[in-house]
Amino acid sequence: MTAENTAYSALATLLGDRFTRAQSERDLHGQSESHFATMAPDAVVYPETTAEVSQIAKICSAAGLPLIGWGAGTSLEGHALAPRGGVTVDFNRMNKVLEIAPEDMVASVQPGITREALNTELRATGLFFPVDPGANASLGGMTSTRASGTTAVRYGTMRSNILALEVVLADGRIIRTGTRAPKSSTGYDLTALFVGAEGTLGLITELTVKLHGQPEAIRAAVCAFDDIDGAVNAVIATIQSGIPMARIEFVDRASAAYFNKATQAGWPDAPHLMLEFHGSEQGVAEQADRFSEIATEFGGQGFRWAAKTEDRNALWAMRHNAYRTALQAYPGHTPITTDICVPISRLAEAVEETAAEIEASGIPGPIVGHVGDGNFHALLLPLAGDAAAWETAQKLAANMAERALRLGGTVSGEHGIGMGKVKYMAQEHGEGWAVMGAIKAALDPDGIMNPGKLLPGN
Ligand SMILES: Cc1cc2nc3c(=O)[nH]c(=O)nc-3n(C[C@H](O)[C@H](O)[C@H](O)COP(=O)(O)OP(=O)(O)OC[C@H]3O[C@@H](n4cnc5c(N)ncnc54)[C@H](O)[C@@H]3O)c2cc1C
């Protein structure tokens, strides 16, 4: 019996029908939301406890089998694919809320819970978990990609909303990092190390997250601008003026047109900002007034306000569906997602240069972004099978990455590296990338944790 077959047989004994090598399950876990080809694992497991995850790691480690974590599979850079086969650990059955401690404003959860499910459980507490990547991702996946989204401008990213973790290492050891205390000064920050590690250092089996009070009042709005310049400069002035925006999202003219087509939104043919204000009734009114003044100065007009929950939900559902409505507008085109983030003072240059270059290329490339954070995405859509268009789109993406670095930013604000952006890591991190490789070698000497992603020579 080969080492692999010995491992499969041990996994079957441990997990029964929660271990599978069925082709359909493997294929399902070999696909992503983005342009990557299918790269299926050799087996899929569905653990229910940390002890099982530890046993799985020990079995795979003994056989040198790759171990790939799987949350909701919504990552965009091929993060959860299995380019070297191995065993995908699907956390879908580890999806419980373990404890809600309203007095400490924290919750402990298993990694497979989705952000929507967590917020449903929190509804009666007056608290909520704010990080919102649009997709209904799992908390384990969001932690591993250091996700953020529309609300990060106010509430922070996964980096600032995780207090503690339980992690299973490649050799099966179980460690706990962090505590419920709001801060700590006890050595290396191992929690931060695993947030954004993309499953290359260990498998997260429990998380303690910060919760926030549900705001007394919420108001959302959209407004149109004559051009990108006006919209982006209004954002810069708003952030610099200190208005505590809960969301401030840029939507370009093309994306506004897709929204209109998908939902009869009736937006003018123009770039837009989508906004949300959180606070007391009076605070929200003041924030909205101050924002309106700034926006008007930069040409903002046609404000439409949404105070009712259902109107706000419809507005943000439209924003969250931007990716899919753009794909629907271009059937037969292949999506290449981009995700650069720059200091707020360089945002206008970054967006304008990007928009001009995309327009000149002839490749469809709608732009949306969490611009309050200096973060935006162009969805490049070359026609499938058109090699020249594919090359052009790749060049546009590379130029965006180069632009982000030139302007003092990063090649990924929130999607992460996976397989798609490894090519930019040396340029962004220099010798720091080799240090990441050394940490990886110390924790996972045989390189079984999510190989082929993020790291040098991995
Ligand atoms: C339409 C759309 C919109 C999106 N918008 C945003 C956005 O605004 N902001 C944003 O940040 N992202 C966005 N994303 C990307 C995606 O939702 C995030 O990357 C999300 O964090 C992935 O979570 P997931 O549960 O789907 O993880 P998966 O895709 O399943 O996995 C992601 C990575 O985490 C690892 N992993 C999963 N679970 C564990 C675990 N328990 N332990 C260790 N490693 C694990 C995987 O191996 C993989 O490397 C969007 C995606 C889509 C499709």
Side-chain angles (χ1 to χ4, degrees):
M1 217 183 199
T2 64
E4 275 169 40
N5 284 337
T6 306
Y8 295 144
S9 149
L11 290 171
T13 305
L14 177 70
L15 301 166
D17 62 4
R18 291 183 286 115
F19 162 82
T20 175
R21 298 200 65 202
Q23 193 63 46
S24 57
E25 287 286 307
R26 291 166 54 197
D27 285 347
L28 204 66
H29 292 84
Q31 289 163 13
S32 79
E33 293 267 1
S34 193
H35 63 271
F36 296 90
T38 300
M39 296 174 211
D42 298 307
V44 181
V45 294
Y46 293 90
E48 289 178 345
T49 63
T50 300
E52 282 183 354
V53 177
S54 169
Q55 285 303 316
I56 292 164
K58 283 180 184 159
I59 292 166
C60 289
S61 178
L65 277 179
L67 262 179
I68 304 118
W70 183 278
T74 66
S75 49
L76 293 169
E77 295 292 346
H79 296 74
L81 301 182
R84 304 199 192 139
V87 176
T88 291
V89 182
D90 187 325
F91 282 97
N92 179 314
R93 288 177 180 235
M94 289 180 70
N95 64 352
K96 314 253 174 332
V97 173
L98 300 171
E99 191 185 350
I100 298 171
E103 64 286 6
D104 290 325
M105 297 179 76
V106 301
S108 293
V109 301
Q110 291 185 311
I113 192 165
T114 64
R115 63 172 187 88
E116 286 180 8
L118 174 57
N119 277 322
T120 302
E121 298 247 5
L122 289 170
R123 212 172 268 161
T125 65
L127 300 169
F128 78 115
F129 180 71
V131 185
D132 174 7
N136 190 20
S138 73
L139 271 281
M142 288 167 63
T143 305
S144 300
T145 59
R146 208 187 295 131
S148 50
T150 54
T151 57
V153 63
R154 172 75 170 261
Y155 298 100
T157 69
M158 288 304 278
R159 178 191 182 196
S160 44
N161 282 287
I162 300 286
L163 279 172
L165 295 172
E166 178 186 75
V167 183
V168 171
L169 300 179
D171 59 10
R173 270 180 299 164
I174 301 167
I175 62 163
R176 297 192 81 94
T177 74
T179 72
R180 278 190 179 185
K183 62 184 195 178
S184 164
S185 181
T186 57
Y188 293 172
D189 187 346
L190 294 182
T191 308
L193 180 62
F194 287 98
V195 177
E198 302 186 355
T200 62
L201 297 178
L203 293 168
I204 296 166
T205 46
E206 190 181 314
L207 313 82
T208 300
V209 299
K210 285 187 200 170
L211 304 175
H212 298 256
Q214 285 169 14
E216 176 192 317
I218 305 179
R219 256 170 104 182
V222 285
C223 64
F225 288 80
D226 293 336
D227 49 31
I228 292 179
D229 191 47
V232 176
N233 281 306
V235 173
I236 295 172
T238 302
I239 297 300
Q240 289 173 343
S241 76
I243 302 174
M245 301 301 297
R247 307 189 206 230
I248 180 161
E249 295 284 307
F250 173 75
V251 172
D252 74 352
R253 185 186 298 267
S255 302
Y258 309 145
F259 290 178
N260 282 339
K261 200 164 168 212
T263 68
Q264 284 77 49
W267 288 13
D269 177 25
H272 283 70
L273 291 180
M274 302 176 73
L275 317 149
E276 194 164 274
F277 306 94
H278 291 181
S280 63
E281 291 291 352
Q282 190 190 344
V284 161
E286 278 169 17
Q287 291 171 39
D289 285 349
R290 282 173 63 202
F291 173 80
S292 303
E293 275 169 32
I294 293 174
T296 307
E297 208 178 301
F298 290 96
Q301 56 197 293
F303 277 81
R304 300 172 184 212
W305 294 94
K308 281 198 267 169
T309 309
E310 57 271 30
D311 295 342
R312 279 200 321 271
N313 289 347
L315 199 64
W316 294 114
M318 201 155 64
R319 168 63 186 88
H320 289 338
N321 286 330
Y323 181 73
R324 298 191 204 293
T325 47
L327 289 185
Q328 276 158 15
Y330 289 93
H333 289 238
T334 306
I336 300 176
T337 54
T338 64
D339 169 39
I340 65 171
C341 189
V342 296
I344 194 80
S345 62
R346 313 306 295 272
L347 182 65
E349 280 164 91
V351 178
E352 282 158 23
E353 281 181 27
T354 302
E357 199 188 10
I358 291 173
E359 191 168 344
S361 76
I363 304 279
I367 297 178
V368 294
H370 316 305
V371 278
D373 291 328
N375 186 196
F376 66 94
H377 314 289
L379 178 61
L380 304 170
L381 290 160
L383 184 63
D386 181 340
W390 176 260
E391 281 285 302
T392 306
Q394 288 292 347
K395 181 79 181 129
L396 289 169
N399 287 351
M400 281 181 73
E402 181 280 323
R403 185 168 301 126
L405 297 178
R406 174 166 48 83
L407 296 175
T410 173
V411 301
S412 177
E414 55 182 21
H415 294 168
I417 299 303
M419 301 171 73
K421 286 199 170 143
V422 175
K423 54 187 178 256
Y424 307 125
M425 286 293 276
Q427 208 185 337
E428 176 159 337
H429 292 287
E431 199 52 31
W433 195 31
V435 172
M436 292 187 207
I439 293 170
K440 165 79 173 173
L443 289 181
D444 178 21
D446 297 326
I448 65 165
M449 303 301 306
N450 206 7
K453 324 285 167 63
L454 183 66
L455 291 153
N458 181 22

